[in-house]
Amino acid sequence: MTAAVPRRALVTGGSGDLGGAICQQLATDGLHVIVHANGNPARAQQVVDAIHHAGGSAETVVFDVADGEATRAALAALLDGGPIQVVVNNAGIHDDAPMAGMAEAQWKRVIDVSLHGFFHVTQPLLLPMARTRWGRVVSVSSVAAVTGNRGQSNYAAAKAALHGASKSLAREMASRGITVNVVAPGVIEGQMTHDAFPPEVIKQLVPAGRAGRAEEVAALVGFLCSDAAGYVNGQVIGVNGGMA
C-alpha cells in the first residue's frame, strides 16, 4: 500500500518568529509546509532546514503578497503540483504613527500587505481547494484590531478588515468543507515585542502578566487547520492573556 500524500499548507510570512512557529507546528502535524518569505528568504530556508531536521516536509517560496501579479504567478507554479488545502495568512507589517502625522504611503503599504495580501494569496487557492471538498483558511490578526491601539490606525484597520472578510468567506465556502477563521494574538514574545514592550509595561497591559509564546499561537492555528476543527468556522479567536 502506498503512503498517503500529505496535505500541503502555505504559510505567508513564514520566516518570522510567529510564522516559523506555525510552520513547525503544521509540519509536526504531518503537513507539507510551504514557507513563504519576501524580504528574508535565508531565514525561511532556516525554517525549512529545521523542519527537515525534525523529519518533516517543507519547501520555500518567495514573493511579495502585496504584488498581485507576482503572487498569482508564484501560486500558479505551486498549484501545478496539486491543490493547497491549508493557507495561513500570517504576512503583515507595522509602520506606526499617530494618524495626524501618518503619511499616505504608511497607510497604504500596511493595508496592502495585510489586507490586499490576504486576497492575492487566498483567492487563487479557493477553487482548487473546493474541488477537494476540504480546506482550511486561517488569518493572523491582532488584538489591536479588536481594541484599537494608539499609533496603529493603519495596522488595526487592515487586521480588522480580515475579520469581516473571513466571516463572509466562511459563509461562502462552508458547504465545500472549507473553514475560515481568524486568530488574533496579543503581546507575543519576539524581537519586535522585546523592543516595544518592557516587562513592566507588559505587566500593566496583560492580565496574565506575561507575553505569550509563539508556540501558544501556533498550537491554536494547528488545531484550526486540523480535521478536528471542522465545525469551527467564521470565528475570531483571541490569544492575548485576557487583554480583550
Side-chain angles (χ1 to χ4, degrees):
M1 179 181 288
T2 57
V5 176
R7 290 170 174 152
R8 298 200 296 164
L10 171 63
V11 181
T12 67
S15 61
D17 292 329
L18 180 53
I22 291 170
C23 289
Q24 292 185 359
Q25 177 68 57
L26 295 179
T28 298
D29 293 342
L31 284 79
H32 173 79
V33 182
I34 304 163
V35 183
H36 162 267
N38 180 30
N40 201 339
R43 191 166 176 189
Q45 186 59 50
Q46 290 174 356
V47 174
V48 168
D49 291 344
I51 289 171
H52 286 166
H53 183 73
S57 177
E59 64 183 291
T60 61
V61 66
V62 179
F63 59 88
D64 182 356
V65 299
D67 183 332
E69 186 175 346
T71 301
R72 284 188 293 274
L75 294 180
L78 289 171
L79 288 170
D80 282 342
I84 294 169
Q85 290 176 278
V86 174
V87 56
V88 179
N89 292 293
N90 176 63
I93 60 169
H94 290 269
D95 196 350
D96 298 350
M99 185 181 274
M102 183 178 290
E104 183 176 355
Q106 287 177 284
W107 176 267
K108 288 186 173 178
R109 177 61 179 166
V110 169
I111 289 178
D112 278 346
V113 173
S114 282
L115 181 57
H116 297 153
F118 163 83
F119 176 82
H120 293 156
V121 170
T122 306
Q123 193 274 341
L125 303 180
L126 291 174
L127 289 181
M129 189 186 295
R131 292 186 194 108
T132 74
R133 311 293 294 187
W134 193 96
R136 300 288 185 261
V137 179
V138 177
S139 294
V140 178
S141 174
S142 168
V143 68
V146 179
T147 64
N149 196 27
R150 295 174 64 176
Q152 290 192 324
S153 59
N154 50 359
Y155 184 72
K159 294 300 192 181
L162 291 180
H163 299 183
S166 296
K167 287 174 179 287
S168 299
L169 184 59
R171 289 177 175 266
E172 293 173 2
M173 304 305 294
S175 66
R176 305 301 197 277
I178 295 169
T179 65
V180 186
N181 292 290
V182 178
V183 173
V187 180
I188 306 298
E189 289 175 353
Q191 189 57 51
M192 190 158 47
T193 298
H194 184 269
D195 295 341
F197 296 98
E200 61 274 14
V201 173
I202 291 175
K203 282 187 169 60
Q204 292 175 349
L205 283 176
V206 184
R210 65 170 178 89
R213 297 186 299 275
E215 292 76 15
E216 292 174 308
V217 181
L220 175 58
V221 174
F223 170 70
L224 292 173
C225 293
S226 72
D227 287 314
Y231 207 58
V232 181
N233 203 4
Q235 302 305 302
V236 178
I237 305 173
V239 188
N240 57 48
M243 290 178 70

